Amino acid sequence: MTRRPVRLGIEALAANPQPIRGKRVAVLSHQAAVDHELRRTIDVVAALAGPENFVRIFGPEHGFWGVKQDMEGATSEVDRATRKEIVSLYGDYPKLPRESTPDGVRTWKCELQQKKKELWPKPKDLEDVEVLVVDLQDVGARYYTFANTMAYCMEVAKTSGTKLVVCDRPNPIGGVAVEGNLFDDGDRWFSFVGLFNIPPRHGMTIGELARYYQNVDEKYRCELEVIPVKGWSRSMWWDE
């Protein structure tokens, strides 16, 4: 098998940092977002931006380090290498009380609704950010929440005037096959894993998803730049 070189979006940004040069920058990423030298995206961006312009890090579900289990909340922390705060965008949820009295259920629903607001970055956390770099290794499935966290960031970025720079990556299960059912009722099945009525296997990269979100709903139309991945064919699988 002939190995074709693939150049990731973060590697293209490192080669030409014009999109973030002289800007106050934050990053939405996790431990799986590394380049071919296994350098973390946050370290690459921190070096490009400089300590004064590198503002903060946002972490998605499972926490920045990917050690939290499904639906387990992650707390904010400080990254030792960059010494920047990692703001968690997926906190713990209140559990349904064992004794499900009407008052207890009502209280739980109110607390749950309040916690759901923490899936969005707080406006104040983007107001001092000129560019939010997004680099998230996805799995190519609708019910993975990383791309939905990006969508929520796009929504807030539109109001804060923050530009999104998405460093694209290959879809690990290819970009040709599209499989699975659409929702028969998008409103009924709307959730954090059902923000958009797309098949479970959607065949898109995270950069393509960002452009798709902007096409289907105006609230996601922040300023957007996608740094494409080079050398990837849609027919390629992850091991290629």
Side-chain angles (χ1 to χ4, degrees):
M1 180 184 299
T2 301
R3 299 288 179 180
R4 288 176 286 182
V6 171
R7 189 189 200 193
L8 304 172
I10 184 59
E11 293 168 336
L13 179 64
N16 179 17
Q18 182 60 35
I20 65 172
R21 185 171 287 134
K23 307 291 187 181
R24 289 180 59 79
V25 182
V27 179
L28 168 62
S29 192
H30 54 185
Q31 93 293 346
V34 295
D35 65 10
H36 279 85
E37 303 299 323
L38 298 183
R39 296 180 302 168
R40 302 181 305 170
T41 285
I42 60 171
D43 295 321
V44 174
V45 174
L48 294 173
E52 292 185 359
N53 281 335
F54 186 48
V55 181
R56 65 182 58 88
I57 303 162
F58 294 98
E61 186 182 1
H62 306 296
F64 178 86
W65 298 104
V67 296
K68 300 297 183 180
Q69 295 302 309
D70 179 39
M71 297 185 71
E72 181 183 0
T75 57
S76 295
E77 57 183 310
V78 174
D79 177 59
R80 291 183 181 180
T82 62
R83 298 183 180 179
K84 297 299 181 181
E85 180 186 14
I86 302 174
V87 177
S88 173
L89 296 180
Y90 197 91
D92 266 323
Y93 283 74
K95 304 301 185 287
L96 184 66
R98 290 185 178 180
E99 296 184 9
S100 300
T101 63
D103 286 343
V105 171
R106 276 194 296 270
T107 299
W108 170 73
K109 285 183 176 180
C110 289
E111 292 175 347
L112 184 62
Q113 195 65 30
Q114 189 63 34
K115 275 293 182 181
K116 283 183 177 180
K117 295 179 181 178
E118 296 179 12
L119 296 172
W120 284 260
K122 293 181 174 63
K124 69 177 181 64
D125 286 335
L126 284 184
E127 285 172 355
D128 61 345
V129 174
E130 295 176 272
V131 178
L132 175 62
V133 175
V134 178
D135 190 10
L136 294 163
Q137 178 57 59
D138 197 27
V139 298
R142 187 199 72 228
Y143 43 78
Y144 238 60
T145 61
F146 297 153
N148 299 328
T149 293
M150 176 182 68
Y152 284 158
C153 287
M154 294 170 71
E155 186 178 347
V156 178
K158 181 183 177 183
T159 64
S160 66
T162 303
K163 177 181 178 179
L164 242 75
V165 172
V166 179
C167 296
D168 213 0
R169 288 178 174 268
N171 184 321
I173 56 175
V176 177
V178 175
E179 297 179 305
N181 295 327
L182 298 173
F183 300 133
D184 58 357
D185 185 337
D187 292 332
R188 179 185 179 190
W189 301 112
F190 179 86
S191 72
F192 190 36
V193 292
L195 292 185
F196 303 93
N197 196 0
I198 59 177
R201 183 179 181 180
H202 48 70
M204 289 183 274
T205 68
I206 196 165
E208 291 169 339
L209 284 170
R211 289 187 174 127
Y212 171 78
Y213 298 162
Q214 291 202 319
N215 282 325
V216 298
D217 198 323
E218 186 178 355
K219 69 183 178 184
Y220 302 112
R221 290 177 192 164
C222 62
E223 184 180 358
L224 173 67
E225 179 178 353
V226 176
I227 301 180
V229 60
K230 300 290 187 181
W232 176 66
S233 167
R234 306 196 75 84
S235 62
M236 291 171 67
W237 288 79
W238 184 251
D239 60 335
E240 298 179 86

